[in-house]
Amino acid sequence: MTENPKITASKVPEIGKSQFELLEKLCNATAVSGDEHEVRQIVLEEVKPVADEVEVDALGNVLATRFGHGENRVRVMLAAHMDEIGFMIVKKHDDNLFQFERIGGIDERQLPGKAVLVGREHLSGVIGAKPIHMTTPDERKKKIAVDSLRIDMGPEIGDKVKPGDRATFATRFKVVGPSIRAKALDDRLGVAMLIELLKHAPGNIDLLAAFTVQEEVGLRGARVAAYRFNPDMAIAVDSTPAYDLPHWDDEDQNVQYNTRLDEGPAIYVMDRATIADRRLVTLLTDSAQEEDIPFQFRQPGGGGTDAGVIHKTRAGIPSISVSVPSRYAHTAIGLARIDDWANTLRLLHAALIRVTPDLLAGERRG
Ligand SMILES: [Zn+2]
């Protein structure tokens, strides 16, 4: 327990068996943008017993509020997106071969030969690839256009698959030593953390948790969620790529990394969509230092989070993002460290208990 008298007592959330089980359930669920039903059901089940108000809005965001107690409570919005990248079936061809489009940013070179799950029934399919025996040397140098690929479902599915159905990579959640490997760690890690923070909400603030839809296709759910909540400040909680592998070229240093595994939560100062509010950068870094939580600054560059639209909502909302770094984002399998997840959760809690009305009334130093 900290000695700062302003800090409201609230139990620090920890990662244990039930948190792993929840993250596993969330990662194995499918929720490609615009069809977040499965993750939404899990979220609702978890938040209904602890939240004071729960609403599902017209786009499918889950908006859960837990009120604090006492005077002058700051309204703090936390956002984590429920959706994941994936595919949409667009056309049926003979032999149950299906044409598809990508939903969200996926490198088409990642697709041939991958197992996928299609529709709400998780029907098993595979993205076909021409065997190497049949390809010419010239073909092997080129990437294969998505419109020439098909999801092969086989005869057993009958006509269960229709245009509009979503598909995801079939990767299953697994803990391997200090690491978690799964699809959709972006952003089921964030969803899992928001659920924990609602369960351990400190009393000094009103906690407004937005489990958003359609982040991967343009931050669409967060825009309406922020409008509805009309918060005083916001934190987007996400997972960001760790490009931290050693270099195998003749360069002696990887200068492109934006975060590294094992170095703790990634605090954003700027990304392509948002410049973080300086007061919130200070809140997070001070909280980390006071609680001895490791952290890193996410290096500016590509990508963005729900904060990209939240900060521009209504008359402007001071915003920042915090992410768990994970390798191989937007591919069939991501890899993150349990410690980075645990430390991100600790940091968010440490920051929330330090939020006071003075934080935002103070001089803007940004
Ligand atoms: Zn994300």
Side-chain angles (χ1 to χ4, degrees):
M1 191 57 65
T2 171
E3 284 159 30
N4 184 339
K6 277 199 281 186
I7 292 170
T8 318
S10 159
K11 202 167 164 285
V12 181
E14 285 171 12
I15 303 293
K17 191 165 172 277
S18 63
Q19 286 71 29
F20 276 106
E21 283 169 1
L22 176 61
L23 184 64
E24 175 167 10
K25 197 153 68 148
L26 287 166
C27 288
N28 287 345
T30 67
V32 177
S33 310
D35 188 15
E36 294 87 356
H37 168 80
E38 220 175 290
V39 167
R40 183 165 47 243
Q41 291 313 111
I42 299 170
V43 168
L44 286 171
E45 221 171 89
E46 294 287 329
V47 304
K48 271 185 177 163
V50 290
D52 296 307
E53 288 174 4
V54 180
E55 177 194 353
V56 178
D57 74 11
L59 292 192
N61 295 305
V62 177
L63 306 178
T65 303
R66 190 156 171 194
F67 296 109
H69 35 78
E71 305 280 293
N72 297 324
R73 300 186 307 271
V74 178
R75 291 167 56 77
V76 181
M77 174 175 173
L78 298 181
H81 63 93
M82 296 189 289
D83 63 314
E84 67 190 281
I85 54 126
F87 315 99
M88 184 191 277
I89 301 291
V90 292
K91 195 171 182 185
K92 182 176 177 174
H93 295 272
D94 292 345
D95 290 336
N96 276 337
L97 293 165
F98 292 89
Q99 204 172 324
F100 62 96
E101 293 281 341
R102 285 170 292 176
I103 306 268
I106 307 176
D107 183 343
E108 54 199 349
R109 292 172 305 170
Q110 301 290 331
L111 304 183
K114 296 289 195 309
V116 293
L117 299 174
V118 182
R120 289 189 175 181
E121 287 183 56
H122 293 199
L123 299 166
S124 193
V126 62
I127 300 176
K130 195 171 179 182
I132 191 164
H133 319 62
M134 316 296 175
T135 54
T136 63
D138 204 37
E139 280 177 321
R140 290 201 289 273
K141 278 189 215 137
K142 289 189 199 131
K143 62 179 175 186
I144 309 160
V146 174
D147 26 351
S148 72
L149 291 169
R150 298 288 180 268
I151 294 176
D152 186 344
M153 301 294 297
E156 58 281 5
I157 59 130
D159 21 306
K160 283 187 190 157
V161 176
K162 298 195 170 45
D165 285 353
R166 309 298 202 278
T168 59
F169 293 116
T171 314
R172 306 298 287 174
F173 179 93
K174 193 172 167 65
V175 175
V176 184
S179 308
I180 307 158
R181 302 194 313 209
K183 73 163 179 68
L185 286 170
D186 170 14
D187 184 24
R188 304 294 153 69
L189 281 166
V191 169
M193 285 189 286
L194 247 61
I195 290 170
E196 284 310 310
L197 289 165
L198 264 178
K199 291 179 180 172
H200 296 84
N204 56 313
I205 57 165
D206 287 344
L207 184 59
L208 316 167
F211 300 87
T212 63
V213 296
Q214 300 189 38
E215 191 267 358
E216 296 290 2
V217 288
L219 322 179
R220 296 174 190 173
R223 183 186 296 266
V224 298
Y227 188 92
R228 167 74 80 164
F229 270 151
N230 193 14
D232 299 313
M233 57 171 275
I235 305 175
V237 182
D238 213 320
S239 174
T240 193
Y243 181 66
D244 59 347
L245 304 173
H247 254 213
W248 46 82
D249 296 333
D250 40 12
E251 296 171 52
D252 50 15
Q253 199 193 352
N254 175 0
V255 290
Q256 274 190 302
Y257 84 93
N258 65 350
T259 61
R260 298 177 197 272
L261 297 191
D262 297 315
E263 293 192 2
I267 299 172
Y268 288 51
V269 284
M270 181 170 77
D271 62 22
R272 196 160 287 162
T274 318
I275 295 175
D277 186 283
R278 278 290 290 271
R279 296 164 296 187
L280 302 185
V281 176
T282 306
L283 170 71
L284 285 159
T285 53
D286 285 357
S287 305
Q289 273 151 4
E290 285 174 36
E291 302 281 347
D292 227 2
I293 301 167
F295 70 94
Q296 56 188 317
F297 288 110
R298 181 195 184 275
Q299 297 305 298
T305 71
D306 274 340
V309 294
I310 296 169
H311 80 283
K312 295 186 289 190
T313 297
R314 292 182 181 257
I317 296 164
S319 300
I320 193 168
S321 304
V322 180
S323 275
V324 181
S326 101
R327 284 183 186 159
Y328 321 123
H330 289 207
T331 69
I333 188 159
L335 189 155
R337 294 278 195 258
I338 296 161
D339 279 355
D340 288 334
W341 172 31
N343 283 323
T344 307
L345 182 58
R346 283 175 62 212
L347 173 60
L348 287 164
H349 185 264
L352 293 179
I353 61 178
R354 286 171 171 77
V355 171
T356 63
D358 299 349
L359 170 73
L360 299 165
E363 188 196 340
R364 175 182 294 280
R365 283 167 291 158

